[in-house]
mmCIF file of all heavy atoms in Angstrom:
data_model
loop_
_atom_site.group_PDB
_atom_site.id
_atom_site.type_symbol
_atom_site.label_atom_id
_atom_site.label_comp_id
_atom_site.label_asym_id
_atom_site.label_seq_id
_atom_site.Cartn_x
_atom_site.Cartn_y
_atom_site.Cartn_z
ATOM 1 N N ARG A 954 -57.189 -42.688 -62.597
ATOM 2 C CA ARG A 954 -55.735 -42.696 -62.287
ATOM 3 C C ARG A 954 -54.972 -43.493 -63.274
ATOM 4 O O ARG A 954 -53.777 -43.759 -63.168
ATOM 5 C CB ARG A 954 -55.576 -43.289 -60.897
ATOM 6 C CG ARG A 954 -56.111 -42.401 -59.749
ATOM 7 C CD ARG A 954 -55.612 -42.787 -58.366
ATOM 8 N NE ARG A 954 -54.153 -42.607 -58.279
ATOM 9 C CZ ARG A 954 -53.292 -43.437 -57.681
ATOM 10 N NH1 ARG A 954 -53.750 -44.570 -57.191
ATOM 11 N NH2 ARG A 954 -51.981 -43.130 -57.656
ATOM 12 N N ILE A 955 -55.646 -43.926 -64.365
ATOM 13 C CA ILE A 955 -54.982 -44.725 -65.428
ATOM 14 C C ILE A 955 -54.861 -43.837 -66.614
ATOM 15 O O ILE A 955 -55.753 -43.195 -67.082
ATOM 16 C CB ILE A 955 -55.782 -45.991 -65.786
ATOM 17 C CG1 ILE A 955 -56.035 -46.821 -64.544
ATOM 18 C CG2 ILE A 955 -54.987 -46.715 -66.866
ATOM 19 C CD1 ILE A 955 -56.969 -47.938 -64.778
ATOM 20 N N ALA A 956 -53.610 -43.782 -67.182
ATOM 21 C CA ALA A 956 -53.374 -42.966 -68.392
ATOM 22 C C ALA A 956 -52.838 -43.854 -69.542
ATOM 23 O O ALA A 956 -51.861 -44.595 -69.231
ATOM 24 C CB ALA A 956 -52.410 -41.847 -68.125
ATOM 25 N N ALA A 957 -53.432 -43.857 -70.689
ATOM 26 C CA ALA A 957 -52.955 -44.572 -71.852
ATOM 27 C C ALA A 957 -52.632 -43.547 -72.819
ATOM 28 O O ALA A 957 -53.388 -42.787 -73.392
ATOM 29 C CB ALA A 957 -54.069 -45.543 -72.413
ATOM 30 N N ILE A 958 -51.237 -43.490 -73.274
ATOM 31 C CA ILE A 958 -50.751 -42.446 -74.069
ATOM 32 C C ILE A 958 -50.480 -43.082 -75.444
ATOM 33 O O ILE A 958 -49.697 -44.082 -75.533
ATOM 34 C CB ILE A 958 -49.371 -41.852 -73.495
ATOM 35 C CG1 ILE A 958 -49.694 -41.292 -72.025
ATOM 36 C CG2 ILE A 958 -48.861 -40.776 -74.355
ATOM 37 C CD1 ILE A 958 -48.473 -40.802 -71.358
ATOM 38 N N THR A 959 -51.041 -42.482 -76.438
ATOM 39 C CA THR A 959 -50.795 -42.835 -77.905
ATOM 40 C C THR A 959 -50.039 -41.796 -78.592
ATOM 41 O O THR A 959 -49.737 -40.690 -78.150
ATOM 42 C CB THR A 959 -52.180 -43.220 -78.542
ATOM 43 O OG1 THR A 959 -52.840 -41.854 -78.664
ATOM 44 C CG2 THR A 959 -53.026 -44.074 -77.679
ATOM 45 N N PHE A 960 -49.786 -42.020 -80.011
ATOM 46 C CA PHE A 960 -49.133 -41.067 -80.789
ATOM 47 C C PHE A 960 -49.956 -40.327 -81.707
ATOM 48 O O PHE A 960 -49.581 -39.251 -82.272
ATOM 49 C CB PHE A 960 -47.943 -41.713 -81.537
ATOM 50 C CG PHE A 960 -46.664 -41.724 -80.711
ATOM 51 C CD1 PHE A 960 -46.489 -42.656 -79.725
ATOM 52 C CD2 PHE A 960 -45.704 -40.755 -80.931
ATOM 53 C CE1 PHE A 960 -45.312 -42.647 -78.942
ATOM 54 C CE2 PHE A 960 -44.611 -40.737 -80.145
ATOM 55 C CZ PHE A 960 -44.398 -41.671 -79.167
ATOM 56 N N THR A 961 -51.240 -40.774 -82.017
ATOM 57 C CA THR A 961 -52.101 -39.993 -82.834
ATOM 58 C C THR A 961 -53.557 -40.004 -82.291
ATOM 59 O O THR A 961 -53.845 -40.828 -81.445
ATOM 60 C CB THR A 961 -52.259 -40.751 -84.217
ATOM 61 O OG1 THR A 961 -52.854 -42.050 -84.035
ATOM 62 C CG2 THR A 961 -50.867 -40.959 -84.899
ATOM 63 N N ASN A 962 -54.292 -38.970 -82.667
ATOM 64 C CA ASN A 962 -55.701 -38.866 -82.237
ATOM 65 C C ASN A 962 -56.504 -40.033 -82.655
ATOM 66 O O ASN A 962 -57.370 -40.566 -81.915
ATOM 67 C CB ASN A 962 -56.313 -37.545 -82.833
ATOM 68 C CG ASN A 962 -55.643 -36.311 -82.224
ATOM 69 O OD1 ASN A 962 -55.424 -36.218 -81.042
ATOM 70 N ND2 ASN A 962 -55.434 -35.296 -83.125
ATOM 71 N N LYS A 963 -56.156 -40.649 -83.870
ATOM 72 C CA LYS A 963 -56.952 -41.696 -84.436
ATOM 73 C C LYS A 963 -56.675 -42.964 -83.478
ATOM 74 O O LYS A 963 -57.642 -43.648 -83.111
ATOM 75 C CB LYS A 963 -56.494 -42.017 -85.810
ATOM 76 C CG LYS A 963 -57.115 -43.210 -86.468
ATOM 77 C CD LYS A 963 -56.715 -43.409 -87.881
ATOM 78 C CE LYS A 963 -57.333 -44.626 -88.477
ATOM 79 N NZ LYS A 963 -56.855 -44.840 -89.886
ATOM 80 N N ALA A 964 -55.436 -43.176 -83.033
ATOM 81 C CA ALA A 964 -55.095 -44.340 -82.200
ATOM 82 C C ALA A 964 -55.810 -44.099 -80.876
ATOM 83 O O ALA A 964 -56.303 -45.085 -80.265
ATOM 84 C CB ALA A 964 -53.595 -44.386 -81.981
ATOM 85 N N ALA A 965 -55.877 -42.881 -80.290
ATOM 86 C CA ALA A 965 -56.432 -42.594 -79.041
ATOM 87 C C ALA A 965 -58.018 -42.931 -79.124
ATOM 88 O O ALA A 965 -58.596 -43.483 -78.306
ATOM 89 C CB ALA A 965 -56.232 -41.196 -78.606
ATOM 90 N N ALA A 966 -58.594 -42.470 -80.295
ATOM 91 C CA ALA A 966 -60.083 -42.718 -80.430
ATOM 92 C C ALA A 966 -60.341 -44.255 -80.485
ATOM 93 O O ALA A 966 -61.349 -44.636 -79.925
ATOM 94 C CB ALA A 966 -60.530 -41.991 -81.692
ATOM 95 N N GLU A 967 -59.499 -44.943 -81.233
ATOM 96 C CA GLU A 967 -59.734 -46.405 -81.392
ATOM 97 C C GLU A 967 -59.610 -47.106 -79.959
ATOM 98 O O GLU A 967 -60.445 -47.937 -79.631
ATOM 99 C CB GLU A 967 -58.683 -47.037 -82.333
ATOM 100 C CG GLU A 967 -58.898 -48.509 -82.551
ATOM 101 C CD GLU A 967 -57.765 -49.163 -83.281
ATOM 102 O OE1 GLU A 967 -56.899 -48.439 -83.863
ATOM 103 O OE2 GLU A 967 -57.742 -50.460 -83.312
ATOM 104 N N MET A 968 -58.613 -46.702 -79.302
ATOM 105 C CA MET A 968 -58.374 -47.319 -77.974
ATOM 106 C C MET A 968 -59.470 -46.939 -77.006
ATOM 107 O O MET A 968 -59.941 -47.799 -76.187
ATOM 108 C CB MET A 968 -57.037 -46.833 -77.390
ATOM 109 C CG MET A 968 -56.593 -47.633 -76.170
ATOM 110 S SD MET A 968 -54.920 -47.160 -75.632
ATOM 111 C CE MET A 968 -54.000 -47.757 -77.113
ATOM 112 N N ARG A 969 -60.033 -45.715 -77.054
ATOM 113 C CA ARG A 969 -61.131 -45.300 -76.255
ATOM 114 C C ARG A 969 -62.295 -46.130 -76.571
ATOM 115 O O ARG A 969 -63.056 -46.583 -75.581
ATOM 116 C CB ARG A 969 -61.381 -43.799 -76.386
ATOM 117 C CG ARG A 969 -62.060 -43.097 -75.230
ATOM 118 C CD ARG A 969 -62.190 -41.621 -75.495
ATOM 119 N NE ARG A 969 -60.925 -40.997 -75.460
ATOM 120 C CZ ARG A 969 -60.231 -40.355 -76.388
ATOM 121 N NH1 ARG A 969 -60.873 -40.279 -77.639
ATOM 122 N NH2 ARG A 969 -59.026 -39.796 -76.178
ATOM 123 N N GLU A 970 -62.538 -46.358 -77.770
ATOM 124 C CA GLU A 970 -63.780 -47.144 -78.204
ATOM 125 C C GLU A 970 -63.647 -48.618 -77.815
ATOM 126 O O GLU A 970 -64.595 -49.190 -77.343
ATOM 127 C CB GLU A 970 -63.891 -47.042 -79.731
ATOM 128 C CG GLU A 970 -65.280 -47.544 -80.331
ATOM 129 C CD GLU A 970 -66.457 -46.815 -79.725
ATOM 130 O OE1 GLU A 970 -66.312 -45.550 -79.440
ATOM 131 O OE2 GLU A 970 -67.491 -47.472 -79.681
ATOM 132 N N ARG A 971 -62.458 -49.177 -77.963
ATOM 133 C CA ARG A 971 -62.174 -50.514 -77.569
ATOM 134 C C ARG A 971 -62.378 -50.772 -76.055
ATOM 135 O O ARG A 971 -62.946 -51.706 -75.574
ATOM 136 C CB ARG A 971 -60.881 -50.999 -77.993
ATOM 137 C CG ARG A 971 -60.588 -50.853 -79.446
ATOM 138 C CD ARG A 971 -60.786 -52.160 -80.212
ATOM 139 N NE ARG A 971 -59.953 -53.247 -79.861
ATOM 140 C CZ ARG A 971 -58.827 -53.566 -80.434
ATOM 141 N NH1 ARG A 971 -58.383 -52.907 -81.549
ATOM 142 N NH2 ARG A 971 -58.084 -54.703 -80.072
ATOM 143 N N ALA A 972 -61.918 -49.723 -75.194
ATOM 144 C CA ALA A 972 -61.976 -49.741 -73.776
ATOM 145 C C ALA A 972 -63.439 -49.684 -73.380
ATOM 146 O O ALA A 972 -63.918 -50.288 -72.491
ATOM 147 C CB ALA A 972 -61.205 -48.626 -73.247
ATOM 148 N N LYS A 973 -64.173 -48.884 -74.112
ATOM 149 C CA LYS A 973 -65.631 -48.672 -73.747
ATOM 150 C C LYS A 973 -66.343 -49.912 -73.992
ATOM 151 O O LYS A 973 -67.168 -50.354 -73.135
ATOM 152 C CB LYS A 973 -66.272 -47.621 -74.710
ATOM 153 C CG LYS A 973 -67.674 -47.264 -74.519
ATOM 154 C CD LYS A 973 -68.157 -46.232 -75.431
ATOM 155 C CE LYS A 973 -69.667 -45.884 -75.344
ATOM 156 N NZ LYS A 973 -70.121 -44.990 -76.299
ATOM 157 N N HIS A 974 -66.073 -50.754 -75.022
ATOM 158 C CA HIS A 974 -66.745 -51.999 -75.161
ATOM 159 C C HIS A 974 -66.351 -53.035 -74.118
ATOM 160 O O HIS A 974 -67.177 -53.924 -73.834
ATOM 161 C CB HIS A 974 -66.329 -52.535 -76.663
ATOM 162 C CG HIS A 974 -67.093 -51.928 -77.725
ATOM 163 N ND1 HIS A 974 -68.456 -51.911 -77.886
ATOM 164 C CD2 HIS A 974 -66.654 -51.250 -78.766
ATOM 165 C CE1 HIS A 974 -68.879 -51.219 -78.961
ATOM 166 N NE2 HIS A 974 -67.718 -50.778 -79.562
ATOM 167 N N LEU A 975 -65.113 -52.874 -73.680
ATOM 168 C CA LEU A 975 -64.685 -53.842 -72.656
ATOM 169 C C LEU A 975 -65.169 -53.571 -71.181
ATOM 170 O O LEU A 975 -65.459 -54.464 -70.466
ATOM 171 C CB LEU A 975 -63.136 -53.876 -72.759
ATOM 172 C CG LEU A 975 -62.454 -55.065 -72.003
ATOM 173 C CD1 LEU A 975 -62.849 -56.391 -72.586
ATOM 174 C CD2 LEU A 975 -60.902 -54.866 -72.100
ATOM 175 N N ILE A 976 -65.023 -52.246 -70.855
ATOM 176 C CA ILE A 976 -65.326 -51.924 -69.433
ATOM 177 C C ILE A 976 -66.442 -50.974 -69.244
ATOM 178 O O ILE A 976 -66.792 -50.677 -68.035
ATOM 179 C CB ILE A 976 -64.026 -51.308 -68.768
ATOM 180 C CG1 ILE A 976 -63.595 -50.112 -69.478
ATOM 181 C CG2 ILE A 976 -62.874 -52.308 -68.651
ATOM 182 C CD1 ILE A 976 -62.328 -49.433 -68.950
ATOM 183 N N GLY A 977 -67.185 -50.631 -70.268
ATOM 184 C CA GLY A 977 -68.394 -49.810 -70.130
ATOM 185 C C GLY A 977 -68.112 -48.366 -69.790
ATOM 186 O O GLY A 977 -67.168 -47.769 -70.228
ATOM 187 N N LYS A 978 -69.013 -47.805 -68.890
ATOM 188 C CA LYS A 978 -68.916 -46.360 -68.585
ATOM 189 C C LYS A 978 -67.634 -45.941 -67.963
ATOM 190 O O LYS A 978 -67.224 -44.820 -68.114
ATOM 191 C CB LYS A 978 -70.056 -46.079 -67.668
ATOM 192 C CG LYS A 978 -71.483 -46.109 -68.230
ATOM 193 C CD LYS A 978 -72.565 -45.807 -67.234
ATOM 194 C CE LYS A 978 -73.895 -45.895 -67.924
ATOM 195 N NZ LYS A 978 -75.023 -45.615 -66.955
ATOM 196 N N ALA A 979 -66.916 -46.871 -67.231
ATOM 197 C CA ALA A 979 -65.693 -46.455 -66.602
ATOM 198 C C ALA A 979 -64.713 -45.992 -67.587
ATOM 199 O O ALA A 979 -63.714 -45.233 -67.225
ATOM 200 C CB ALA A 979 -65.137 -47.676 -65.821
ATOM 201 N N ALA A 980 -64.793 -46.358 -68.912
ATOM 202 C CA ALA A 980 -63.803 -46.015 -69.929
ATOM 203 C C ALA A 980 -63.714 -44.513 -70.128
ATOM 204 O O ALA A 980 -62.633 -44.018 -70.382
ATOM 205 C CB ALA A 980 -64.147 -46.773 -71.215
ATOM 206 N N LYS A 981 -64.795 -43.802 -69.872
ATOM 207 C CA LYS A 981 -64.728 -42.350 -70.105
ATOM 208 C C LYS A 981 -63.880 -41.604 -69.055
ATOM 209 O O LYS A 981 -63.433 -40.502 -69.379
ATOM 210 C CB LYS A 981 -66.134 -41.775 -70.086
ATOM 211 C CG LYS A 981 -66.811 -41.760 -68.715
ATOM 212 C CD LYS A 981 -68.286 -41.163 -68.885
ATOM 213 C CE LYS A 981 -68.957 -41.253 -67.527
ATOM 214 N NZ LYS A 981 -68.333 -40.522 -66.377
ATOM 215 N N ASP A 982 -63.563 -42.266 -67.891
ATOM 216 C CA ASP A 982 -62.689 -41.613 -66.950
ATOM 217 C C ASP A 982 -61.238 -42.001 -67.082
ATOM 218 O O ASP A 982 -60.428 -41.265 -66.482
ATOM 219 C CB ASP A 982 -63.135 -42.106 -65.610
ATOM 220 C CG ASP A 982 -64.593 -41.672 -65.184
ATOM 221 O OD1 ASP A 982 -64.947 -40.519 -65.607
ATOM 222 O OD2 ASP A 982 -65.329 -42.428 -64.525
ATOM 223 N N VAL A 983 -60.912 -43.004 -67.937
ATOM 224 C CA VAL A 983 -59.554 -43.280 -68.225
ATOM 225 C C VAL A 983 -58.924 -42.118 -69.061
ATOM 226 O O VAL A 983 -59.597 -41.644 -70.051
ATOM 227 C CB VAL A 983 -59.377 -44.622 -68.963
ATOM 228 C CG1 VAL A 983 -57.904 -44.943 -69.262
ATOM 229 C CG2 VAL A 983 -59.949 -45.778 -68.092
ATOM 230 N N VAL A 984 -57.757 -41.731 -68.740
ATOM 231 C CA VAL A 984 -57.061 -40.708 -69.600
ATOM 232 C C VAL A 984 -56.445 -41.333 -70.757
ATOM 233 O O VAL A 984 -55.339 -41.936 -70.664
ATOM 234 C CB VAL A 984 -56.015 -39.959 -68.741
ATOM 235 C CG1 VAL A 984 -55.331 -38.924 -69.544
ATOM 236 C CG2 VAL A 984 -56.531 -39.428 -67.407
ATOM 237 N N VAL A 985 -57.146 -41.313 -71.935
ATOM 238 C CA VAL A 985 -56.671 -41.842 -73.130
ATOM 239 C C VAL A 985 -56.397 -40.640 -74.107
ATOM 240 O O VAL A 985 -57.267 -39.996 -74.507
ATOM 241 C CB VAL A 985 -57.632 -42.795 -73.814
ATOM 242 C CG1 VAL A 985 -56.979 -43.335 -75.076
ATOM 243 C CG2 VAL A 985 -58.034 -43.918 -72.839
ATOM 244 N N CYS A 986 -55.095 -40.397 -74.398
ATOM 245 C CA CYS A 986 -54.797 -39.251 -75.159
ATOM 246 C C CYS A 986 -53.365 -39.431 -75.799
ATOM 247 O O CYS A 986 -52.638 -40.346 -75.407
ATOM 248 C CB CYS A 986 -54.805 -38.000 -74.299
ATOM 249 S SG CYS A 986 -53.648 -38.006 -72.855
ATOM 250 N N THR A 987 -53.043 -38.448 -76.614
ATOM 251 C CA THR A 987 -51.690 -38.414 -77.173
ATOM 252 C C THR A 987 -50.698 -37.688 -76.096
ATOM 253 O O THR A 987 -51.197 -37.030 -75.176
ATOM 254 C CB THR A 987 -51.628 -37.544 -78.469
ATOM 255 O OG1 THR A 987 -51.994 -36.173 -78.128
ATOM 256 C CG2 THR A 987 -52.598 -38.135 -79.481
ATOM 257 N N PHE A 988 -49.403 -37.833 -76.348
ATOM 258 C CA PHE A 988 -48.462 -37.206 -75.539
ATOM 259 C C PHE A 988 -48.738 -35.652 -75.500
ATOM 260 O O PHE A 988 -48.635 -35.010 -74.529
ATOM 261 C CB PHE A 988 -47.048 -37.426 -76.064
ATOM 262 C CG PHE A 988 -46.287 -38.483 -75.348
ATOM 263 C CD1 PHE A 988 -46.071 -39.685 -75.913
ATOM 264 C CD2 PHE A 988 -45.743 -38.308 -74.069
ATOM 265 C CE1 PHE A 988 -45.333 -40.794 -75.292
ATOM 266 C CE2 PHE A 988 -45.105 -39.290 -73.430
ATOM 267 C CZ PHE A 988 -44.889 -40.487 -73.995
ATOM 268 N N HIS A 989 -49.055 -35.159 -76.728
ATOM 269 C CA HIS A 989 -49.255 -33.734 -76.775
ATOM 270 C C HIS A 989 -50.511 -33.248 -76.114
ATOM 271 O O HIS A 989 -50.477 -32.183 -75.458
ATOM 272 C CB HIS A 989 -49.388 -33.283 -78.296
ATOM 273 C CG HIS A 989 -48.051 -33.412 -79.031
ATOM 274 N ND1 HIS A 989 -47.777 -34.664 -79.707
ATOM 275 C CD2 HIS A 989 -47.011 -32.622 -79.234
ATOM 276 C CE1 HIS A 989 -46.531 -34.501 -80.178
ATOM 277 N NE2 HIS A 989 -46.055 -33.276 -79.935
ATOM 278 N N ALA A 990 -51.651 -34.088 -76.142
ATOM 279 C CA ALA A 990 -52.821 -33.704 -75.427
ATOM 280 C C ALA A 990 -52.516 -33.768 -73.887
ATOM 281 O O ALA A 990 -53.119 -32.897 -73.185
ATOM 282 C CB ALA A 990 -53.886 -34.646 -75.818
ATOM 283 N N LEU A 991 -51.757 -34.731 -73.479
ATOM 284 C CA LEU A 991 -51.466 -34.684 -71.999
ATOM 285 C C LEU A 991 -50.656 -33.470 -71.639
ATOM 286 O O LEU A 991 -50.855 -32.893 -70.567
ATOM 287 C CB LEU A 991 -50.641 -36.060 -71.704
ATOM 288 C CG LEU A 991 -50.268 -36.114 -70.221
ATOM 289 C CD1 LEU A 991 -51.498 -36.337 -69.320
ATOM 290 C CD2 LEU A 991 -49.387 -37.376 -70.025
ATOM 291 N N GLY A 992 -49.731 -33.101 -72.576
ATOM 292 C CA GLY A 992 -48.930 -31.886 -72.269
ATOM 293 C C GLY A 992 -49.818 -30.663 -72.247
ATOM 294 O O GLY A 992 -49.595 -29.778 -71.362
ATOM 295 N N VAL A 993 -50.851 -30.548 -73.045
ATOM 296 C CA VAL A 993 -51.817 -29.481 -73.017
ATOM 297 C C VAL A 993 -52.451 -29.363 -71.662
ATOM 298 O O VAL A 993 -52.551 -28.375 -71.011
ATOM 299 C CB VAL A 993 -52.866 -29.494 -74.127
ATOM 300 C CG1 VAL A 993 -53.928 -28.503 -73.869
ATOM 301 C CG2 VAL A 993 -52.146 -29.281 -75.473
ATOM 302 N N ARG A 994 -52.920 -30.596 -71.215
ATOM 303 C CA ARG A 994 -53.688 -30.565 -69.898
ATOM 304 C C ARG A 994 -52.736 -30.172 -68.770
ATOM 305 O O ARG A 994 -53.141 -29.423 -67.863
ATOM 306 C CB ARG A 994 -54.201 -31.976 -69.645
ATOM 307 C CG ARG A 994 -54.858 -32.253 -68.328
ATOM 308 C CD ARG A 994 -55.376 -33.638 -68.163
ATOM 309 N NE ARG A 994 -55.762 -33.819 -66.768
ATOM 310 C CZ ARG A 994 -56.246 -34.932 -66.253
ATOM 311 N NH1 ARG A 994 -56.391 -36.007 -67.062
ATOM 312 N NH2 ARG A 994 -56.520 -35.075 -64.979
ATOM 313 N N MET A 995 -51.495 -30.643 -68.764
ATOM 314 C CA MET A 995 -50.551 -30.245 -67.710
ATOM 315 C C MET A 995 -50.232 -28.775 -67.735
ATOM 316 O O MET A 995 -50.163 -28.043 -66.706
ATOM 317 C CB MET A 995 -49.282 -31.087 -67.890
ATOM 318 C CG MET A 995 -49.385 -32.558 -67.703
ATOM 319 S SD MET A 995 -47.863 -33.488 -68.030
ATOM 320 C CE MET A 995 -46.838 -33.047 -66.605
ATOM 321 N N LEU A 996 -50.123 -28.173 -68.919
ATOM 322 C CA LEU A 996 -49.821 -26.831 -69.108
ATOM 323 C C LEU A 996 -51.023 -25.941 -68.638
ATOM 324 O O LEU A 996 -50.878 -24.806 -68.066
ATOM 325 C CB LEU A 996 -49.247 -26.449 -70.362
ATOM 326 C CG LEU A 996 -47.852 -27.003 -70.794
ATOM 327 C CD1 LEU A 996 -47.511 -26.705 -72.228
ATOM 328 C CD2 LEU A 996 -46.827 -26.523 -69.848
ATOM 329 N N ARG A 997 -52.235 -26.352 -69.018
ATOM 330 C CA ARG A 997 -53.416 -25.621 -68.678
ATOM 331 C C ARG A 997 -53.582 -25.558 -67.111
ATOM 332 O O ARG A 997 -53.926 -24.566 -66.553
ATOM 333 C CB ARG A 997 -54.612 -26.208 -69.267
ATOM 334 C CG ARG A 997 -54.689 -26.251 -70.758
ATOM 335 C CD ARG A 997 -55.512 -25.080 -71.430
ATOM 336 N NE ARG A 997 -55.612 -25.279 -72.832
ATOM 337 C CZ ARG A 997 -55.316 -24.363 -73.716
ATOM 338 N NH1 ARG A 997 -54.729 -23.229 -73.330
ATOM 339 N NH2 ARG A 997 -55.395 -24.564 -74.981
#
């Protein structure tokens, strides 16, 4: 239920990796993506 929105795929990947180190397996369930990727999910 947590979404972290970034502006580039690179920033999203870095944030996902940092979150993984901090909170472990739960990080994979956090929605970490760009505005555009979130838009794709909503439209799909």
Side-chain angles (χ1 to χ4, degrees):
R954 295 195 64 220
I955 302 169
I958 304 174
T959 68
F960 271 80
T961 65
N962 292 322
K963 182 179 177 183
E967 180 190 351
M968 192 172 294
R969 204 174 289 116
E970 191 62 28
R971 303 259 303 257
K973 180 180 174 182
H974 283 299
L975 191 63
I976 58 180
K978 291 181 180 179
K981 68 180 175 60
D982 296 325
V983 178
V984 181
V985 182
C986 63
T987 63
F988 262 107
H989 292 91
L991 181 63
V993 170
R994 179 177 166 183
M995 294 175 70
L996 292 175
R997 296 263 187 237

